[in-house]
Amino acid sequence: MPIISNANHDFSNLSVSDDSSLDRIFTEIPETETIKGAYYKRAQFIRRPEDLVSVDHTLLAVINVGGNRYTFPWSTLEQFPLTRLGRLCGCQSPEEIASVCDDYDEAHKEFFFDRSPSAFRVILNFLAAGKLRLLREMCVLSLHDELTYWGVEMTYMERCCKRKMYTRIEEVHELERREEERRQRNAMQHVPVEVTRYQKVMNWLRDMVENPQSGLPGKIFACLSVIMVAVTVISLCISTMPDLREEEGR
């Protein structure tokens, strides 16, 4: 008996930017019924390391996500074959396991995933209850990245959460599109112009006058400027001496 009744629905022809398409997403797709209580036995959080001793690895898979350990029945993972965790059921060699998870402890038969433990709570609830729900404290875009990594489609999400996520993703795409258009306009406005010989000479003279470190001409011009300033200051000082004033007066 499938958990998700709308898992095979085709969303390829729907557009998030079209209101009519959104209405089809959130009205035509039937709600998924969740059986309370029974599904929540599918996943368990391991609080103490010593609890792993009694785990039957033929029936349960030990998943370590960012340091938090969970146990999932292999039968539960088999019901989600397209997800990353569901792909573990078909792994027969260390190479195949390495292509799915980040590390594998063969001694303890523990699969390690270097992902956010808080974000994995959404995946945990999905595997337990068959429904996706947004966490209030989690960024919508971060959750979208996590769903992509774990291979969980947004079609499994509650309608209210799905509308919020689609709307936020559309807003981000619109901002990125506007930013890209702005960069293209700026690039077109700053097209490099061919430099003429006159412009090269003027640039050389400007560097010589403004930047003494530009070369030998700049250093010579800077020394001459200092000498001229010194001569002017000395002549002004000499002209203020009393003897010279009396001479000028006579």
Side-chain angles (χ1 to χ4, degrees):
M1 177 179 178
I3 296 178
I4 306 299
S5 60
N6 56 7
N8 297 322
H9 195 277
D10 184 13
F11 290 89
S12 59
N13 297 326
L14 300 182
S15 173
V16 179
S17 59
D18 188 1
D19 293 338
S20 61
S21 297
L22 285 175
D23 293 337
R24 289 180 58 194
I25 294 177
F26 303 119
T27 58
E28 292 185 3
I29 307 303
E31 278 284 357
T32 303
E33 296 182 359
T34 303
I35 301 177
K36 301 295 183 181
Y39 285 154
Y40 287 94
K41 298 178 182 179
R42 295 172 176 265
Q44 293 184 358
F45 175 62
I46 304 298
R47 302 183 182 276
R48 300 177 303 176
E50 52 267 23
D51 294 339
L52 293 173
V53 179
S54 59
V55 173
D56 186 357
H57 295 281
T58 59
L59 300 177
L60 300 175
V62 179
I63 307 298
N64 187 329
V65 181
N68 292 347
R69 294 181 176 89
Y70 307 88
T71 57
F72 295 94
W74 287 106
S75 58
T76 298
L77 302 183
E78 289 175 353
Q79 297 183 15
F80 303 92
L82 299 181
T83 64
R84 183 175 290 270
L85 292 178
R87 289 160 52 192
L88 290 175
C89 301
C91 295
Q92 302 295 333
S93 64
E95 291 76 14
E96 293 178 351
I97 295 176
S99 64
V100 177
C101 61
D102 296 312
D103 198 4
Y104 175 65
D105 188 349
E106 188 173 0
H108 298 87
K109 298 185 182 301
E110 181 177 322
F111 302 93
F112 177 75
F113 294 87
D114 189 14
R115 305 298 294 185
S116 171
S118 58
F120 186 72
R121 289 163 50 195
V122 179
I123 310 300
L124 180 66
N125 293 335
F126 167 68
L127 295 177
K131 274 293 187 70
L132 276 174
R133 293 179 177 88
L134 290 175
L135 296 178
R136 182 174 301 177
E137 66 276 8
M138 187 174 181
C139 174
V140 174
L141 299 180
S142 298
L143 177 59
H144 182 264
D145 294 339
E146 290 296 320
L147 296 181
T148 303
Y149 174 80
W150 294 106
V152 179
E153 298 181 1
M154 288 191 295
T155 54
Y156 299 136
M157 187 173 291
E158 296 279 9
R159 289 177 181 174
C160 58
C161 299
K162 189 188 303 180
R163 179 180 289 274
K164 180 179 179 181
M165 174 169 284
Y166 275 118
T167 303
R168 180 55 180 161
I169 292 175
E170 184 70 11
E171 291 175 355
V172 172
H173 288 171
E174 180 66 18
L175 291 176
E176 292 178 349
R177 184 184 64 81
R178 293 180 180 178
E179 182 65 22
E180 182 63 24
E181 291 179 353
R182 186 185 65 82
R183 285 197 297 264
Q184 292 179 358
R185 287 196 300 267
N186 293 338
M188 293 178 62
Q189 293 175 358
H190 295 84
V191 176
V193 181
E194 184 179 357
V195 180
T196 62
R197 182 177 300 178
Y198 171 77
Q199 291 175 338
K200 291 181 179 179
V201 173
M202 295 304 296
N203 293 335
W204 178 77
L205 291 175
R206 184 175 60 253
D207 292 339
M208 181 185 67
V209 174
E210 297 178 355
N211 185 14
Q213 304 297 329
S214 59
L216 182 60
K219 295 178 180 179
I220 295 175
F221 182 82
C223 293
L224 293 176
S225 300
V226 173
I227 293 173
M228 292 177 63
V229 172
V231 170
T232 303
V233 171
I234 293 173
S235 62
L236 290 175
C237 292
I238 293 175
S239 62
T240 58
M241 297 178 65
D243 296 339
L244 291 179
R245 284 190 173 184
E246 293 177 0
E247 185 68 25
E248 290 178 358
R250 290 196 299 268

